[in-house]
Amino acid sequence: MDPKGWCEKLNDGHVIPVLGFGTYAPEEVPKSRTVEVTKLAIDAGFRHIDSAYSYNNEKEVGQAIRSKIEDGTVKREDIFYTSKLWLTFLQPELVRPALEKSLTNLQLDYVDLYIIHFPIALKPGEELFPEDEHGKLIFDTVDLCATWEAMEKCKDAGLAKSIGVSNFNRRQLEMILNKPGLKYKPVCNQVECHPYLNQSKLLDFCKSKDIVLVAYGALGTQRLKRWLAPNSPVLLEDPVLCAMAKKYKRTPALIALRYLLQRGVVVLAKSYNEKRIKENMQVFEFQLTSEDMKDLDGLNRNHRFLPLQIAVDHPEYPFADEY
């Protein structure tokens, strides 16, 4: 089946492909590799590409997208590209310049989706993670509703087709939804989501508000030491996932991705391995039974691989609430 047909309608009328390609890679991965794998992903059939200002790879991702447009593989309108507003640009007057900076790096006229990366404001400036002399993050205070109004202006200016949020909890979503004079609802909330953190309560809440839940870390994350929660289990080695992979003659990764898709979650699959990039497209070729879906529901242990521990003291730290 043509994956382009697999789209979810957003609350603003645009559509989002339900399978996306995540582009984040640690600093030691050469930038040229990002260009290569993004092209490979587009060749394999991925049409939804997810990046962010803070990934420091938008020049390369943009180059890959443009080269696939130039060689006739895709048109710009076939690609759904997401960028994210970094934490040091949450002051309303910094929002549009930050998006324009991403667009300049990408060499694109617009992004399909622009989202607030975290509800946590950090001190404005060039540093992604501004620290004091003791190595503590320097927080900033910002009215997220004012940040959201600046996001709405980016949509009105045509710089972003759709706008959303990431890593917001229910309370923070409600703050935006209940904002007096709200012009556009967030179309999505991109959060960590996988069989060990299945986000069922947040997912139900988002569905009730016509907000799409987008999953990152769907395969258990890249396990980068700087960010990984201590004593994290290895998701793709889970015995239930592995037994199910045998049963369906698929990989554990495909079972994990399919599980989220069948729950109505838009899922990002991150891989820099050519074979696995192609393999991940097979998620559309099979279906899990409702019994197997229940067994996978049973794996939930509310384990967050990426708790952003360095910001735990921020007043808007999102992961202290139940959901």
Side-chain angles (χ1 to χ4, degrees), residues 194-211:
H194 43 74
Y196 286 169
L197 179 71
N198 73 20
Q199 298 280 18
S200 57
K201 286 185 173 169
L202 187 59
L203 176 59
D204 286 345
F205 175 74
C206 287
K207 282 180 174 172
S208 77
K209 302 292 180 190
D210 200 15
I211 293 169

Side-chain angles (χ1 to χ4, degrees), residues 182-199:
L182 181 72
K183 191 167 183 186
Y184 305 116
K185 283 173 29 169
V187 297
C188 72
N189 186 18
Q190 185 182 127
V191 295
E192 180 181 338
C193 184
H194 43 74
Y196 286 169
L197 179 71
N198 73 20
Q199 298 280 18

Side-chain angles (χ1 to χ4, degrees), residues 26 28 221-230 305-307:
E28 57 270 22
T221 79
Q222 299 178 62
R223 303 184 70 84
L224 303 173
K225 279 196 177 63
R226 183 180 178 187
W227 306 113
L228 189 68
F305 288 102
L306 303 170

Side-chain angles (χ1 to χ4, degrees), residues 89-110:
F89 305 119
L90 297 194
Q91 293 296 346
E93 68 280 5
L94 301 179
V95 172
R96 180 167 174 162
L99 173 51
E100 287 171 338
K101 200 167 178 183
S102 278
L103 289 169
T104 299
N105 286 338
L106 291 156
Q107 295 285 295
L108 296 174
D109 299 328
Y110 66 90

Side-chain angles (χ1 to χ4, degrees), residues 12 14 76 110-114 154-155 158-163:
D12 64 356
H14 291 294
R76 172 64 187 93
Y110 66 90
V111 299
D112 295 273
L113 178 59
Y114 198 47
C154 290
K155 176 171 164 70
L159 300 178
K161 300 270 189 200
S162 299
I163 50 175

